[in-house]
Amino acid sequence: MTTAFSRSWEHAVVTGGAGFVGSHLCHALLDSGTAVTCVDDFSTGRPENISGLLDRPGFTLVEANVSEPFSVDRPPDLVLHFASPASPADYLRLPLHTLEAGSLGTRHALALAHRSDARFLFASTSEVYGDPQQHPQNERYWGNVNPVGPRSVYDEAKRFGEALTTAEAEVHGTDAGIVRLFNTYGPRMRGHDGRAVPTFVRQALSGEPLTVTGDGLQTRSLCYIDDTVRGILAAAAHGLRGPVNIGNPTEITMLELARLVIELTGSGSEIRFIERPTDDPAVRCPDITLARDKLEWEPRVDAEEGLRRTIAWFRDHEDSRS
């Protein structure tokens, strides 16, 4: 596998490999010549995300819950821990599963990496910054998180996973790193997963009103999945412990996003304002100085192009909108 840093992998284990980001990682690694073992319990991942990989040489599926001990058929030299409910609809429905994936699941994935002498990368999130009082957010910012709010099961699972990853590296010398992902979007998202892009696209293509929460002036920074995957693999190859932000530093308000989706879909949908969720962040924007300097990475796909690709995929996969 070739990145900005020359490092190749023989066998990668991707936990949560049937999920949105995980499945794209499985595809990218296989395309680069790396054998891949996907570990997933399909609690939120979808079989169709990896159906095209099942007959490819080098691909293995292990159906398992990473919160319980699991095994793979041969030692990996790369472990990417991406198993976790990640959308509001999922982590609110599966609060204990989410906490266990970030704690027990991280412990088991780290143990696999340690005994295999493999590089380990933990998928954290911009949600560790909470409703930030620093803008944009750099990796030195500690965050403003409600530990008992409705979003806490996801936020605190990821914060604990970061602490466990750091402790494992310091105590056992495991080659471990952390990436904090910001608002990734693209093909293979589910229309009802509660995140803004798939929700707006589903509504626009169905002719429904686009439901914008609050006044719509809260911002997000949208990073297209291809850019996110490049950043993840660059972090894996570099050996950086991090944490390192992987996201697009260009902000967009939710109202602007809704209007852009309506324009790009050619929809006649209207915009409807609804109540804003509890603890919904007012702003979200990564400072990617570290990723630029250390990983030689920055996003290439702008919001309009990424949304065009995403909309085209949703048009071709009507089942994802149901």
Side-chain angles (χ1 to χ4, degrees):
M1 175 171 47
T2 301
T3 67
F5 306 92
S6 180
R7 191 167 178 181
S8 60
W9 314 105
E10 292 186 6
H11 175 214
V13 169
V14 182
T15 71
F20 166 50
V21 177
S23 65
H24 283 275
L25 283 168
C26 288
H27 280 260
L29 286 162
L30 273 176
D31 288 346
S32 73
T34 302
V36 173
T37 296
C38 165
V39 182
D40 207 297
D41 66 356
F42 297 104
S43 56
T44 60
R46 300 195 299 172
E48 51 266 42
N49 286 346
I50 56 168
S51 60
L53 303 180
L54 296 176
D55 294 329
R56 287 186 57 174
F59 183 78
T60 303
L61 171 63
V62 174
E63 190 167 349
N65 179 356
V66 298
S67 299
E68 301 172 359
F70 65 92
S71 60
V72 297
D73 60 1
R74 63 190 177 97
D77 52 2
L78 175 65
V79 177
L80 301 175
H81 182 40
F82 280 71
S84 174
S87 71
D90 288 334
Y91 62 68
L92 293 175
R93 177 175 58 90
L94 299 167
L96 295 178
H97 192 74
T98 303
L99 287 163
E100 289 167 353
S103 55
L104 295 171
T106 304
R107 182 89 180 241
H108 294 144
L110 277 164
L112 172 62
H114 178 68
R115 65 177 177 263
S116 304
D117 196 25
R119 169 70 167 155
F120 175 88
L121 205 63
F122 176 68
S124 189
T125 170
S126 61
E127 295 299 326
V128 300
Y129 298 122
D131 189 6
Q133 297 175 342
Q134 172 183 294
H135 193 68
Q137 298 85 57
N138 63 43
E139 294 86 353
R140 296 180 301 279
Y141 178 53
W142 292 355
N144 178 37
V145 176
N146 179 356
V148 293
R151 305 169 72 98
S152 64
V153 294
Y154 184 62
D155 301 355
E156 298 297 351
K158 292 300 188 181
R159 287 161 68 95
F160 179 85
E162 287 197 13
L164 184 57
T165 299
T166 302
E168 173 76 21
E170 292 178 351
V171 173
H172 291 141
T174 304
D175 180 11
I178 300 164
V179 288
R180 290 176 177 164
L181 309 184
F182 280 69
N183 299 114
T184 300
Y185 72 101
R188 302 195 198 122
M189 299 189 88
R190 292 174 291 126
H192 285 275
D193 82 355
R195 287 178 278 199
V197 169
T199 298
F200 289 166
V201 171
R202 170 182 58 80
Q203 291 170 333
L205 292 178
S206 301
E208 303 172 15
L210 273 65
T211 50
V212 174
T213 62
D215 58 11
L217 299 183
Q218 63 272 34
T219 69
R220 297 295 182 267
S221 301
L222 305 179
C223 193
Y224 188 65
I225 183 63
D226 290 0
D227 285 330
T228 297
V229 167
R230 281 194 306 104
I232 293 165
L233 296 181
H238 182 279
L240 180 72
R241 182 184 296 183
V244 58
N245 291 335
I246 301 295
N248 193 321
T250 302
E251 285 181 275
I252 186 171
T253 70
M254 292 299 91
L255 185 56
E256 290 171 334
L257 175 61
R259 288 169 174 163
L260 182 56
V261 169
I262 290 173
E263 176 187 341
L264 295 177
T265 56
S267 174
S269 294
E270 299 179 345
I271 291 174
R272 177 187 299 163
F273 293 93
I274 63 174
E275 185 177 357
R276 190 169 164 190
T278 302
D279 295 337
D280 183 47
V283 292
R284 181 72 85 233
C285 182
D287 180 334
I288 62 168
T289 302
L290 183 62
R292 284 189 173 121
D293 291 349
K294 298 294 186 181
L295 306 182
E296 301 176 15
W297 174 89
E298 62 183 354
R300 299 170 180 168
V301 180
D302 64 24
E304 183 169 335
E305 176 58 26
L307 286 170
R308 288 186 188 278
R309 297 180 192 178
T310 304
I311 290 165
W313 184 86
F314 270 95
R315 287 190 193 277
D316 291 340
H317 295 80
E318 189 172 350
D319 59 317
S320 295
R321 309 202 303 266
S322 60

